[in-house]
Amino acid sequence: MDSGIITIFLPIALAIIMAGLGLELRPQDFKRVAKHPKAVFLALFCQLVILVSIAFVICKLLALPPLLAVGVMLLAASPGGPTANLFSYLYKGDIALNITLTAINSVIAAFTLPVIVNLSIQHFINDGQQLGLQFSKVIQVFLIIIVPVCLGMLVRYFSPNVADKLHKPVRTFAVVFLILIIIGAVAKERNSILEYIMQVGLATSLFCIASLLIGYFIPRIFGISSTQARACAFEIGIHNSTLAMTIALTILASTTIAMPAAVYSIFMYIFAAIFGTLLNRYEPQRAETHLVAKNE
């Protein structure tokens, strides 16, 4: 992948995608925390504490190579993406809760992602490599995440009609961009891609499955409705792999670190679809009852 494309095009493309996320957000999406504090805080705890810990354990148990381990931790630290809203819609989740979680996650990730990545680099890489997120790079992460989202929200606030018109093209662009970035990363590592899949395929699969299960069952254990638990599961189980790959390729300048997110991007859609189908089969009445009550 050409260095000019990596340093210029990828950040711009990601900024467009994050702005597209902002187009879906309104100030009340943040205020909704007061209405569903339990579900929001449980989802955030699962995302930021439990799953990051599970990712670390997976890296240690499978003895992943250092750079791939950092890639898995970067993936775990990345927030949920807009795709979670689509899966929540398809499998009867609380879409409004999804939007709220995406909004809060995106803001929090600007602060937590650099911390988790730096700690991971310090732990897994002990050979003195000059790799990490120094303060200037932390600022870059912050700018890549927060500024475009805020711009998108401003467009939504002042020109909702424009936001509605831009929503579909930007979402299409996000899908195409994810495919292109995966192809580019894989092409650059084509001689080693099978080895990477063998090394990190099991780790990313386990992480994806754990994310979905924990995202659903932990809220259910604490009395959250099935509809809201589904929203939590998809928000937690479908990470923003585009963000993870772009940070790996641009700020960390490592294709190897991007590989876990690339492999995960392939698996997450499969596992999320299977998980949603199983939920609809074994808990259809609860979800439908909750939706009826909500619509009334």
Side-chain angles (χ1 to χ4, degrees), residues 151-166:
L151 289 175
M153 289 184 67
L154 287 173
V155 173
R156 164 62 63 185
Y157 183 79
F158 289 106
S159 303
N161 291 333
V162 173
D164 290 336
K165 291 179 181 178
L166 290 175

Side-chain angles (χ1 to χ4, degrees), residues 18 78 140:
M18 298 306 291
S78 299
Q140 289 181 47

Side-chain angles (χ1 to χ4, degrees), residues 61-224:
L61 288 179
L62 298 182
L64 293 183
L67 291 178
L68 291 179
V70 171
V72 171
M73 297 305 296
L74 169 60
L75 177 65
S78 299
T83 307
N85 301 346
L86 174 61
F87 273 89
S88 198
Y89 170 76
L90 292 174
Y91 296 106
K92 304 175 184 176
D94 187 334
I95 301 174
L97 178 59
N98 268 113
I99 294 173
T100 296
L101 290 173
T102 299
I104 297 172
N105 256 333
S106 298
V107 173
I108 293 177
F111 301 94
T112 58
L113 189 148
V115 173
I116 293 171
V117 171
N118 273 337
L119 290 175
S120 301
I121 290 171
Q122 291 174 16
H123 179 82
F124 289 107
I125 301 177
N126 301 309
D127 58 2
Q129 289 188 45
Q130 295 299 311
L131 181 66
L133 294 177
Q134 289 79 34
F135 181 74
S136 61
K137 293 183 178 181
V138 171
I139 296 299
Q140 289 181 47
V141 173
F142 184 84
L143 294 176
I144 285 174
I145 296 176
I146 296 296
V147 173
V149 171
C150 291
L151 289 175
M153 289 184 67
L154 287 173
V155 173
R156 164 62 63 185
Y157 183 79
F158 289 106
S159 303
N161 291 333
V162 173
D164 290 336
K165 291 179 181 178
L166 290 175
H167 172 69
K168 186 174 181 180
V170 173
R171 175 159 285 194
T172 302
F173 174 80
V175 174
V176 173
F177 175 66
L178 175 59
I179 295 172
L180 290 176
I181 193 175
I182 292 173
I183 292 173
V186 169
K188 184 173 182 181
E189 297 290 337
R190 57 187 176 277
N191 295 327
S192 306
I193 187 61
L194 290 179
E195 182 181 351
Y196 283 136
I197 292 176
M198 293 294 292
Q199 289 178 320
V200 84
L202 177 59
T204 53
S205 296
L206 290 174
F207 177 70
C208 185
I209 293 170
S211 298
L212 291 166
L213 292 175
I214 288 170
Y216 181 79
F217 287 107
I218 294 295
R220 293 295 282 148
I221 289 172
F222 284 90
I224 301 300

